[in-house]
Amino acid sequence: MAPDNDLLTMDEAIRRLSTTRATFNRWLKAGRIKGFKVGRQWRFEGSEIERFLKGESPTIGLPVSPGPLLEHVANFTGEALPPPETGAEDIEYTVRMLLICGLKKGAADLHFDVQHHAETGTSGAFTLRIDGLIQTVSHYDQRLHQPIIDQLKTLSGMTVSEKRLPQDGRIQFKIAVNRSIDFAVSVLPATFGESCTIKIRDPMATQIELDVLGLSEINLKRIHNALSRKQGLFITGGPSEAGKKVSVYSLLHTVNARQGRLLTVEQPGAMVLDGAIQTIINNPLGLTRATLIRAAARQAWDSLYVDAVQESESLNLMINEALHGRVFTTIHLRDAISGLLTVRDWGNRVQGLADRSEEHTSELQSPDHLVCRLL
């Protein structure tokens, strides 16, 4: 903490910033200004006000050393960690090394949780999902957890002081002159502390060719034949972390390369598609899947992608749009055959599609064949 003569009252901080109390309170609530309470009164360090004037983020102090956590990260990756950059804060360096750990191990997502165990008590847990399996990198001192979450919130543009509601954000991590990695960050309030999940989105994954996905030659030919049509509904299904997103982006990359207008309706943290018009779902603002699909109908697109269809209304709208152009989507499924039952259960409007598809199931030898037949 700064010496007493460097502590400012709220009125003194407002005068130094030449702003109003209402604006100052908005900055404070959003976490752009760091302060602390002495009794019922707010106090602010002069150095923090100066950081704000310079456009810098508030400092986030670490109550304990992150050394043991970073040592576990180095052991997990099998490589020595690079030294911190000059002037870098401990929390900035720590979070950067945690994100790099996920990248080096090829993880699909990273998790920061507070876990309680009867024998060991409560501690923070840093885990990665690699090839669909959760692997624990380190259990760390619980006192490190909130500073890590606060730094991730700051980097992804969330409200640091909001700890009661879920939040979503995005971090862009530059790893080369012409290449960056996107991290889709989701924070959820939990019993012992906020839980944070980070999904790694590599823009290069949007340029994966269909030929390298491991499809059999006959199924690859069927998919190319289906993509040559001007209309149709293309559904990519599978369980969590099975590669639905990569598969559907490979399809989109293929049709996008043939020139045409591509429009997408996606959740935050979407990958970037060259030349595509990408819209973001925002339910609180009324920008639901169904609303955006209806609006997209007036945009004269050639191909439309709707992320993760979950209800009959959106599916019905996509079926209508598929009469005029190529429509792509993903559905969470155990396998392709159970997808027919899922589609059928969503309503009578799509009953005919499911029934017609079921007529062919007896002659198909695998779920992969079924997907290609539906395409």
PDB file of all heavy atoms in Angstrom, residues 6-37:
ATOM      1  N   ASP A   6       0.021   9.610   0.298  1.00  0.00           N
ATOM      2  CA  ASP A   6      -0.303   9.377  -1.112  1.00  0.00           C
ATOM      3  C   ASP A   6      -1.700   8.802  -1.274  1.00  0.00           C
ATOM      4  O   ASP A   6      -2.073   8.361  -2.340  1.00  0.00           O
ATOM      5  CB  ASP A   6       0.721   8.440  -1.737  1.00  0.00           C
ATOM      6  CG  ASP A   6       0.683   8.487  -3.262  1.00  0.00           C
ATOM      7  OD1 ASP A   6       0.350   9.540  -3.822  1.00  0.00           O
ATOM      8  OD2 ASP A   6       0.955   7.442  -3.872  1.00  0.00           O
ATOM      9  N   LEU A   7      -2.483   8.796  -0.222  1.00  0.00           N
ATOM     10  CA  LEU A   7      -3.853   8.297  -0.280  1.00  0.00           C
ATOM     11  C   LEU A   7      -4.807   9.460  -0.512  1.00  0.00           C
ATOM     12  O   LEU A   7      -4.685  10.514   0.127  1.00  0.00           O
ATOM     13  CB  LEU A   7      -4.211   7.576   1.023  1.00  0.00           C
ATOM     14  CG  LEU A   7      -3.492   6.251   1.290  1.00  0.00           C
ATOM     15  CD1 LEU A   7      -3.979   5.648   2.594  1.00  0.00           C
ATOM     16  CD2 LEU A   7      -3.705   5.279   0.143  1.00  0.00           C
ATOM     17  N   LEU A   8      -5.738   9.248  -1.424  1.00  0.00           N
ATOM     18  CA  LEU A   8      -6.697  10.292  -1.787  1.00  0.00           C
ATOM     19  C   LEU A   8      -8.093   9.873  -1.379  1.00  0.00           C
ATOM     20  O   LEU A   8      -8.461   8.696  -1.476  1.00  0.00           O
ATOM     21  CB  LEU A   8      -6.658  10.554  -3.293  1.00  0.00           C
ATOM     22  CG  LEU A   8      -5.300  10.847  -3.931  1.00  0.00           C
ATOM     23  CD1 LEU A   8      -5.451  10.978  -5.435  1.00  0.00           C
ATOM     24  CD2 LEU A   8      -4.694  12.115  -3.340  1.00  0.00           C
ATOM     25  N   THR A   9      -8.886  10.844  -0.953  1.00  0.00           N
ATOM     26  CA  THR A   9     -10.308  10.587  -0.756  1.00  0.00           C
ATOM     27  C   THR A   9     -10.980  10.560  -2.118  1.00  0.00           C
ATOM     28  O   THR A   9     -10.375  10.914  -3.149  1.00  0.00           O
ATOM     29  CB  THR A   9     -10.940  11.677   0.109  1.00  0.00           C
ATOM     30  OG1 THR A   9     -10.884  12.923  -0.606  1.00  0.00           O
ATOM     31  CG2 THR A   9     -10.213  11.812   1.446  1.00  0.00           C
ATOM     32  N   MET A  10     -12.256  10.153  -2.150  1.00  0.00           N
ATOM     33  CA  MET A  10     -12.963  10.124  -3.430  1.00  0.00           C
ATOM     34  C   MET A  10     -13.071  11.521  -4.028  1.00  0.00           C
ATOM     35  O   MET A  10     -12.874  11.711  -5.236  1.00  0.00           O
ATOM     36  CB  MET A  10     -14.354   9.509  -3.264  1.00  0.00           C
ATOM     37  CG  MET A  10     -15.144   9.458  -4.555  1.00  0.00           C
ATOM     38  SD  MET A  10     -16.750   8.664  -4.425  1.00  0.00           S
ATOM     39  CE  MET A  10     -16.270   6.932  -4.351  1.00  0.00           C
ATOM     40  N   ASP A  11     -13.365  12.526  -3.199  1.00  0.00           N
ATOM     41  CA  ASP A  11     -13.483  13.886  -3.716  1.00  0.00           C
ATOM     42  C   ASP A  11     -12.163  14.374  -4.293  1.00  0.00           C
ATOM     43  O   ASP A  11     -12.134  15.027  -5.352  1.00  0.00           O
ATOM     44  CB  ASP A  11     -13.949  14.831  -2.602  1.00  0.00           C
ATOM     45  CG  ASP A  11     -15.404  14.579  -2.201  1.00  0.00           C
ATOM     46  OD1 ASP A  11     -16.149  14.062  -3.058  1.00  0.00           O
ATOM     47  OD2 ASP A  11     -15.768  14.887  -1.057  1.00  0.00           O
ATOM     48  N   GLU A  12     -11.046  14.045  -3.623  1.00  0.00           N
ATOM     49  CA  GLU A  12      -9.740  14.455  -4.137  1.00  0.00           C
ATOM     50  C   GLU A  12      -9.419  13.748  -5.449  1.00  0.00           C
ATOM     51  O   GLU A  12      -8.859  14.360  -6.377  1.00  0.00           O
ATOM     52  CB  GLU A  12      -8.664  14.141  -3.093  1.00  0.00           C
ATOM     53  CG  GLU A  12      -8.738  15.023  -1.863  1.00  0.00           C
ATOM     54  CD  GLU A  12      -7.817  14.564  -0.755  1.00  0.00           C
ATOM     55  OE1 GLU A  12      -7.415  13.373  -0.766  1.00  0.00           O
ATOM     56  OE2 GLU A  12      -7.485  15.377   0.119  1.00  0.00           O
ATOM     57  N   ALA A  13      -9.771  12.450  -5.553  1.00  0.00           N
ATOM     58  CA  ALA A  13      -9.533  11.716  -6.797  1.00  0.00           C
ATOM     59  C   ALA A  13     -10.374  12.275  -7.934  1.00  0.00           C
ATOM     60  O   ALA A  13      -9.903  12.397  -9.075  1.00  0.00           O
ATOM     61  CB  ALA A  13      -9.840  10.235  -6.585  1.00  0.00           C
ATOM     62  N   ILE A  14     -11.612  12.644  -7.637  1.00  0.00           N
ATOM     63  CA  ILE A  14     -12.496  13.216  -8.668  1.00  0.00           C
ATOM     64  C   ILE A  14     -11.933  14.537  -9.164  1.00  0.00           C
ATOM     65  O   ILE A  14     -11.927  14.813 -10.380  1.00  0.00           O
ATOM     66  CB  ILE A  14     -13.919  13.394  -8.099  1.00  0.00           C
ATOM     67  CG1 ILE A  14     -14.573  12.031  -7.893  1.00  0.00           C
ATOM     68  CG2 ILE A  14     -14.771  14.250  -9.033  1.00  0.00           C
ATOM     69  CD1 ILE A  14     -15.910  12.087  -7.175  1.00  0.00           C
ATOM     70  N   ARG A  15     -11.436  15.373  -8.237  1.00  0.00           N
ATOM     71  CA  ARG A  15     -10.862  16.663  -8.653  1.00  0.00           C
ATOM     72  C   ARG A  15      -9.611  16.451  -9.495  1.00  0.00           C
ATOM     73  O   ARG A  15      -9.390  17.165 -10.486  1.00  0.00           O
ATOM     74  CB  ARG A  15     -10.542  17.515  -7.422  1.00  0.00           C
ATOM     75  CG  ARG A  15     -11.768  18.133  -6.775  1.00  0.00           C
ATOM     76  CD  ARG A  15     -11.371  19.259  -5.826  1.00  0.00           C
ATOM     77  NE  ARG A  15     -10.563  18.766  -4.720  1.00  0.00           N
ATOM     78  CZ  ARG A  15     -11.074  18.326  -3.570  1.00  0.00           C
ATOM     79  NH1 ARG A  15     -12.389  18.313  -3.392  1.00  0.00           N
ATOM     80  NH2 ARG A  15     -10.283  17.913  -2.603  1.00  0.00           N
ATOM     81  N   ARG A  16      -8.779  15.466  -9.126  1.00  0.00           N
ATOM     82  CA  ARG A  16      -7.557  15.226  -9.897  1.00  0.00           C
ATOM     83  C   ARG A  16      -7.877  14.744 -11.313  1.00  0.00           C
ATOM     84  O   ARG A  16      -7.160  15.059 -12.259  1.00  0.00           O
ATOM     85  CB  ARG A  16      -6.668  14.203  -9.192  1.00  0.00           C
ATOM     86  CG  ARG A  16      -5.337  13.968  -9.890  1.00  0.00           C
ATOM     87  CD  ARG A  16      -4.384  13.120  -9.085  1.00  0.00           C
ATOM     88  NE  ARG A  16      -3.952  13.796  -7.847  1.00  0.00           N
ATOM     89  CZ  ARG A  16      -2.968  13.339  -7.086  1.00  0.00           C
ATOM     90  NH1 ARG A  16      -2.315  12.223  -7.405  1.00  0.00           N
ATOM     91  NH2 ARG A  16      -2.623  13.985  -5.980  1.00  0.00           N
ATOM     92  N   LEU A  17      -8.960  14.002 -11.450  1.00  0.00           N
ATOM     93  CA  LEU A  17      -9.350  13.498 -12.769  1.00  0.00           C
ATOM     94  C   LEU A  17     -10.234  14.479 -13.525  1.00  0.00           C
ATOM     95  O   LEU A  17     -10.579  14.224 -14.690  1.00  0.00           O
ATOM     96  CB  LEU A  17     -10.079  12.158 -12.615  1.00  0.00           C
ATOM     97  CG  LEU A  17      -9.243  10.983 -12.092  1.00  0.00           C
ATOM     98  CD1 LEU A  17     -10.113   9.750 -11.888  1.00  0.00           C
ATOM     99  CD2 LEU A  17      -8.115  10.658 -13.062  1.00  0.00           C
ATOM    100  N   SER A  18     -10.661  15.563 -12.873  1.00  0.00           N
ATOM    101  CA  SER A  18     -11.516  16.582 -13.510  1.00  0.00           C
ATOM    102  C   SER A  18     -12.767  15.947 -14.118  1.00  0.00           C
ATOM    103  O   SER A  18     -13.087  16.159 -15.292  1.00  0.00           O
ATOM    104  CB  SER A  18     -10.729  17.349 -14.591  1.00  0.00           C
ATOM    105  OG  SER A  18      -9.603  17.987 -14.040  1.00  0.00           O
ATOM    106  N   THR A  19     -13.457  15.161 -13.318  1.00  0.00           N
ATOM    107  CA  THR A  19     -14.651  14.479 -13.805  1.00  0.00           C
ATOM    108  C   THR A  19     -15.780  14.672 -12.804  1.00  0.00           C
ATOM    109  O   THR A  19     -15.638  15.398 -11.807  1.00  0.00           O
ATOM    110  CB  THR A  19     -14.365  12.979 -14.028  1.00  0.00           C
ATOM    111  OG1 THR A  19     -15.493  12.382 -14.644  1.00  0.00           O
ATOM    112  CG2 THR A  19     -14.076  12.269 -12.711  1.00  0.00           C
ATOM    113  N   THR A  20     -16.913  14.030 -13.061  1.00  0.00           N
ATOM    114  CA  THR A  20     -18.058  14.115 -12.166  1.00  0.00           C
ATOM    115  C   THR A  20     -18.108  12.871 -11.276  1.00  0.00           C
ATOM    116  O   THR A  20     -17.507  11.845 -11.593  1.00  0.00           O
ATOM    117  CB  THR A  20     -19.374  14.220 -12.954  1.00  0.00           C
ATOM    118  OG1 THR A  20     -19.558  13.010 -13.720  1.00  0.00           O
ATOM    119  CG2 THR A  20     -19.338  15.414 -13.907  1.00  0.00           C
ATOM    120  N   ARG A  21     -18.853  12.957 -10.188  1.00  0.00           N
ATOM    121  CA  ARG A  21     -18.971  11.816  -9.280  1.00  0.00           C
ATOM    122  C   ARG A  21     -19.650  10.638  -9.979  1.00  0.00           C
ATOM    123  O   ARG A  21     -19.256   9.482  -9.778  1.00  0.00           O
ATOM    124  CB  ARG A  21     -19.751  12.221  -8.035  1.00  0.00           C
ATOM    125  CG  ARG A  21     -19.897  11.103  -7.002  1.00  0.00           C
ATOM    126  CD  ARG A  21     -20.572  11.609  -5.748  1.00  0.00           C
ATOM    127  NE  ARG A  21     -19.690  12.521  -5.024  1.00  0.00           N
ATOM    128  CZ  ARG A  21     -18.839  12.143  -4.084  1.00  0.00           C
ATOM    129  NH1 ARG A  21     -18.745  10.861  -3.749  1.00  0.00           N
ATOM    130  NH2 ARG A  21     -18.087  13.025  -3.462  1.00  0.00           N
ATOM    131  N   ALA A  22     -20.654  10.920 -10.815  1.00  0.00           N
ATOM    132  CA  ALA A  22     -21.364   9.838 -11.512  1.00  0.00           C
ATOM    133  C   ALA A  22     -20.426   9.098 -12.458  1.00  0.00           C
ATOM    134  O   ALA A  22     -20.410   7.857 -12.510  1.00  0.00           O
ATOM    135  CB  ALA A  22     -22.560  10.400 -12.273  1.00  0.00           C
ATOM    136  N   THR A  23     -19.632   9.848 -13.218  1.00  0.00           N
ATOM    137  CA  THR A  23     -18.677   9.214 -14.139  1.00  0.00           C
ATOM    138  C   THR A  23     -17.620   8.438 -13.368  1.00  0.00           C
ATOM    139  O   THR A  23     -17.248   7.319 -13.744  1.00  0.00           O
ATOM    140  CB  THR A  23     -18.007  10.276 -15.020  1.00  0.00           C
ATOM    141  OG1 THR A  23     -19.006  10.962 -15.767  1.00  0.00           O
ATOM    142  CG2 THR A  23     -17.014   9.638 -15.976  1.00  0.00           C
ATOM    143  N   PHE A  24     -17.124   9.022 -12.271  1.00  0.00           N
ATOM    144  CA  PHE A  24     -16.114   8.349 -11.458  1.00  0.00           C
ATOM    145  C   PHE A  24     -16.660   7.033 -10.909  1.00  0.00           C
ATOM    146  O   PHE A  24     -15.960   6.010 -10.901  1.00  0.00           O
ATOM    147  CB  PHE A  24     -15.685   9.270 -10.315  1.00  0.00           C
ATOM    148  CG  PHE A  24     -14.547   8.730  -9.493  1.00  0.00           C
ATOM    149  CD1 PHE A  24     -13.233   8.971  -9.855  1.00  0.00           C
ATOM    150  CD2 PHE A  24     -14.791   7.963  -8.365  1.00  0.00           C
ATOM    151  CE1 PHE A  24     -12.183   8.473  -9.109  1.00  0.00           C
ATOM    152  CE2 PHE A  24     -13.748   7.454  -7.612  1.00  0.00           C
ATOM    153  CZ  PHE A  24     -12.443   7.708  -7.990  1.00  0.00           C
ATOM    154  N   ASN A  25     -17.915   7.043 -10.450  1.00  0.00           N
ATOM    155  CA  ASN A  25     -18.525   5.816  -9.925  1.00  0.00           C
ATOM    156  C   ASN A  25     -18.660   4.748 -11.008  1.00  0.00           C
ATOM    157  O   ASN A  25     -18.504   3.553 -10.733  1.00  0.00           O
ATOM    158  CB  ASN A  25     -19.890   6.119  -9.321  1.00  0.00           C
ATOM    159  CG  ASN A  25     -19.790   6.759  -7.954  1.00  0.00           C
ATOM    160  OD1 ASN A  25     -18.860   6.485  -7.211  1.00  0.00           O
ATOM    161  ND2 ASN A  25     -20.729   7.634  -7.620  1.00  0.00           N
ATOM    162  N   ARG A  26     -18.938   5.150 -12.248  1.00  0.00           N
ATOM    163  CA  ARG A  26     -19.011   4.189 -13.360  1.00  0.00           C
ATOM    164  C   ARG A  26     -17.640   3.573 -13.608  1.00  0.00           C
ATOM    165  O   ARG A  26     -17.527   2.360 -13.832  1.00  0.00           O
ATOM    166  CB  ARG A  26     -19.540   4.863 -14.624  1.00  0.00           C
ATOM    167  CG  ARG A  26     -21.044   5.124 -14.618  1.00  0.00           C
ATOM    168  CD  ARG A  26     -21.567   5.370 -16.028  1.00  0.00           C
ATOM    169  NE  ARG A  26     -20.959   6.543 -16.632  1.00  0.00           N
ATOM    170  CZ  ARG A  26     -21.443   7.774 -16.532  1.00  0.00           C
ATOM    171  NH1 ARG A  26     -22.542   7.986 -15.817  1.00  0.00           N
ATOM    172  NH2 ARG A  26     -20.852   8.796 -17.119  1.00  0.00           N
ATOM    173  N   TRP A  27     -16.588   4.379 -13.594  1.00  0.00           N
ATOM    174  CA  TRP A  27     -15.233   3.853 -13.772  1.00  0.00           C
ATOM    175  C   TRP A  27     -14.873   2.895 -12.651  1.00  0.00           C
ATOM    176  O   TRP A  27     -14.265   1.848 -12.872  1.00  0.00           O
ATOM    177  CB  TRP A  27     -14.225   5.010 -13.813  1.00  0.00           C
ATOM    178  CG  TRP A  27     -14.300   5.849 -15.049  1.00  0.00           C
ATOM    179  CD1 TRP A  27     -14.817   5.482 -16.254  1.00  0.00           C
ATOM    180  CD2 TRP A  27     -13.839   7.191 -15.193  1.00  0.00           C
ATOM    181  NE1 TRP A  27     -14.720   6.518 -17.149  1.00  0.00           N
ATOM    182  CE2 TRP A  27     -14.119   7.579 -16.533  1.00  0.00           C
ATOM    183  CE3 TRP A  27     -13.239   8.107 -14.340  1.00  0.00           C
ATOM    184  CZ2 TRP A  27     -13.789   8.846 -17.016  1.00  0.00           C
ATOM    185  CZ3 TRP A  27     -12.907   9.369 -14.824  1.00  0.00           C
ATOM    186  CH2 TRP A  27     -13.187   9.726 -16.152  1.00  0.00           C
ATOM    187  N   LEU A  28     -15.261   3.258 -11.422  1.00  0.00           N
ATOM    188  CA  LEU A  28     -14.948   2.428 -10.263  1.00  0.00           C
ATOM    189  C   LEU A  28     -15.680   1.091 -10.347  1.00  0.00           C
ATOM    190  O   LEU A  28     -15.094   0.025 -10.095  1.00  0.00           O
ATOM    191  CB  LEU A  28     -15.329   3.173  -8.986  1.00  0.00           C
ATOM    192  CG  LEU A  28     -15.035   2.477  -7.653  1.00  0.00           C
ATOM    193  CD1 LEU A  28     -13.539   2.239  -7.497  1.00  0.00           C
ATOM    194  CD2 LEU A  28     -15.567   3.314  -6.492  1.00  0.00           C
ATOM    195  N   LYS A  29     -16.955   1.126 -10.733  1.00  0.00           N
ATOM    196  CA  LYS A  29     -17.749  -0.103 -10.841  1.00  0.00           C
ATOM    197  C   LYS A  29     -17.228  -1.005 -11.954  1.00  0.00           C
ATOM    198  O   LYS A  29     -17.261  -2.243 -11.835  1.00  0.00           O
ATOM    199  CB  LYS A  29     -19.220   0.251 -11.099  1.00  0.00           C
ATOM    200  CG  LYS A  29     -20.138  -0.957 -11.131  1.00  0.00           C
ATOM    201  CD  LYS A  29     -21.593  -0.534 -11.327  1.00  0.00           C
ATOM    202  CE  LYS A  29     -22.496  -1.763 -11.367  1.00  0.00           C
ATOM    203  NZ  LYS A  29     -23.918  -1.395 -11.575  1.00  0.00           N
ATOM    204  N   ALA A  30     -16.745  -0.396 -13.044  1.00  0.00           N
ATOM    205  CA  ALA A  30     -16.232  -1.182 -14.173  1.00  0.00           C
ATOM    206  C   ALA A  30     -14.834  -1.732 -13.925  1.00  0.00           C
ATOM    207  O   ALA A  30     -14.319  -2.495 -14.735  1.00  0.00           O
ATOM    208  CB  ALA A  30     -16.225  -0.329 -15.443  1.00  0.00           C
ATOM    209  N   GLY A  31     -14.229  -1.335 -12.783  1.00  0.00           N
ATOM    210  CA  GLY A  31     -12.895  -1.834 -12.477  1.00  0.00           C
ATOM    211  C   GLY A  31     -11.772  -1.079 -13.154  1.00  0.00           C
ATOM    212  O   GLY A  31     -10.620  -1.519 -13.126  1.00  0.00           O
ATOM    213  N   ARG A  32     -12.091   0.062 -13.761  1.00  0.00           N
ATOM    214  CA  ARG A  32     -11.052   0.844 -14.428  1.00  0.00           C
ATOM    215  C   ARG A  32     -10.199   1.620 -13.428  1.00  0.00           C
ATOM    216  O   ARG A  32      -9.083   2.031 -13.738  1.00  0.00           O
ATOM    217  CB  ARG A  32     -11.682   1.790 -15.451  1.00  0.00           C
ATOM    218  CG  ARG A  32     -12.406   1.075 -16.583  1.00  0.00           C
ATOM    219  CD  ARG A  32     -13.038   2.055 -17.554  1.00  0.00           C
ATOM    220  NE  ARG A  32     -12.026   2.928 -18.143  1.00  0.00           N
ATOM    221  CZ  ARG A  32     -12.327   3.997 -18.887  1.00  0.00           C
ATOM    222  NH1 ARG A  32     -13.596   4.308 -19.095  1.00  0.00           N
ATOM    223  NH2 ARG A  32     -11.371   4.737 -19.389  1.00  0.00           N
ATOM    224  N   ILE A  33     -10.763   1.868 -12.249  1.00  0.00           N
ATOM    225  CA  ILE A  33     -10.035   2.525 -11.172  1.00  0.00           C
ATOM    226  C   ILE A  33     -10.037   1.601  -9.962  1.00  0.00           C
ATOM    227  O   ILE A  33     -11.084   1.039  -9.608  1.00  0.00           O
ATOM    228  CB  ILE A  33     -10.678   3.878 -10.807  1.00  0.00           C
ATOM    229  CG1 ILE A  33     -10.606   4.839 -11.990  1.00  0.00           C
ATOM    230  CG2 ILE A  33     -10.005   4.500  -9.585  1.00  0.00           C
ATOM    231  CD1 ILE A  33     -11.271   6.171 -11.742  1.00  0.00           C
ATOM    232  N   LYS A  34      -8.890   1.439  -9.336  1.00  0.00           N
ATOM    233  CA  LYS A  34      -8.769   0.557  -8.175  1.00  0.00           C
ATOM    234  C   LYS A  34      -8.759   1.383  -6.900  1.00  0.00           C
ATOM    235  O   LYS A  34      -8.026   2.370  -6.781  1.00  0.00           O
ATOM    236  CB  LYS A  34      -7.476  -0.256  -8.291  1.00  0.00           C
ATOM    237  CG  LYS A  34      -7.228  -1.193  -7.118  1.00  0.00           C
ATOM    238  CD  LYS A  34      -5.896  -1.878  -7.278  1.00  0.00           C
ATOM    239  CE  LYS A  34      -5.554  -2.738  -6.073  1.00  0.00           C
ATOM    240  NZ  LYS A  34      -4.213  -3.353  -6.199  1.00  0.00           N
ATOM    241  N   GLY A  35      -9.587   0.982  -5.931  1.00  0.00           N
ATOM    242  CA  GLY A  35      -9.628   1.650  -4.642  1.00  0.00           C
ATOM    243  C   GLY A  35      -9.884   0.643  -3.537  1.00  0.00           C
ATOM    244  O   GLY A  35     -10.023  -0.562  -3.790  1.00  0.00           O
ATOM    245  N   PHE A  36      -9.939   1.103  -2.319  1.00  0.00           N
ATOM    246  CA  PHE A  36     -10.244   0.222  -1.198  1.00  0.00           C
ATOM    247  C   PHE A  36     -10.972   1.047  -0.143  1.00  0.00           C
ATOM    248  O   PHE A  36     -10.912   2.287  -0.128  1.00  0.00           O
ATOM    249  CB  PHE A  36      -8.965  -0.403  -0.630  1.00  0.00           C
ATOM    250  CG  PHE A  36      -7.937   0.599  -0.196  1.00  0.00           C
ATOM    251  CD1 PHE A  36      -7.884   1.031   1.131  1.00  0.00           C
ATOM    252  CD2 PHE A  36      -7.023   1.112  -1.093  1.00  0.00           C
ATOM    253  CE1 PHE A  36      -6.946   1.955   1.538  1.00  0.00           C
ATOM    254  CE2 PHE A  36      -6.071   2.040  -0.690  1.00  0.00           C
ATOM    255  CZ  PHE A  36      -6.037   2.469   0.625  1.00  0.00           C
ATOM    256  N   LYS A  37     -11.693   0.357   0.736  1.00  0.00           N
ATOM    257  CA  LYS A  37     -12.479   1.040   1.753  1.00  0.00           C
ATOM    258  C   LYS A  37     -11.760   1.038   3.095  1.00  0.00           C
ATOM    259  O   LYS A  37     -11.200   0.036   3.511  1.00  0.00           O
ATOM    260  CB  LYS A  37     -13.848   0.378   1.902  1.00  0.00           C
ATOM    261  CG  LYS A  37     -14.840   0.795   0.829  1.00  0.00           C
ATOM    262  CD  LYS A  37     -16.242   0.306   1.150  1.00  0.00           C
ATOM    263  CE  LYS A  37     -17.246   0.852   0.141  1.00  0.00           C
ATOM    264  NZ  LYS A  37     -18.630   0.424   0.450  1.00  0.00           N
TER     265      LYS A  37
END
